[in-house]
Amino acid sequence: MDEQAVLLARFGEDRAHLRAVAYRMLGSLSEADDALQDAWLRASRAGTGGVENLTGWLTTVVARVCLNMLRSRRTRGEQPLETP
């Protein structure tokens, strides 16, 4: 199997875990899904041949994407929508 196929298979296996991490950090399922899309794009462009713990590496990528989203939220001054 080539490197891209291995990454795709592992991302699929770890998707529930990665989505849970993103949801816990962001507090929104739609933002968590956006974070996973961004993380996939970043991971698919990176060379993962030397990565020993792919699950840990993917978790780190998702966490960093989430942190970037949170920083962006703070600098734009977004406030969470309150439901009545």
Side-chain angles (χ1 to χ4, degrees), residues 60-80:
T60 301
V61 171
V62 168
R64 288 182 180 171
V65 167
C66 290
L67 287 173
N68 288 342
M69 291 173 75
L70 289 170
R71 283 187 196 108
S72 175
R73 187 188 294 175
R74 184 175 56 199
T75 59
R76 288 186 300 195
E78 291 183 16
Q79 297 295 322

Side-chain angles (χ1 to χ4, degrees), residues 1-83:
M1 229 187 271
D2 70 332
E3 187 177 309
Q4 192 73 13
V6 170
L7 180 62
L8 179 60
R10 182 57 68 90
F11 196 87
E13 292 170 9
D14 293 338
R15 186 173 189 79
H17 163 73
L18 298 172
R19 189 173 190 230
V21 168
Y23 176 70
R24 283 192 296 266
M25 291 182 75
L26 298 171
S28 162
L29 287 176
S30 63
E31 285 186 320
D33 289 336
D34 290 344
L36 255 62
Q37 279 187 328
D38 192 10
W40 168 251
L41 291 174
R42 291 173 188 231
S44 65
R45 290 186 302 233
T48 58
V51 177
E52 291 181 24
N53 181 357
L54 202 51
T55 299
W57 186 83
L58 288 170
T59 302
T60 301
V61 171
V62 168
R64 288 182 180 171
V65 167
C66 290
L67 287 173
N68 288 342
M69 291 173 75
L70 289 170
R71 283 187 196 108
S72 175
R73 187 188 294 175
R74 184 175 56 199
T75 59
R76 288 186 300 195
E78 291 183 16
Q79 297 295 322
L81 179 64
E82 295 182 25
T83 56

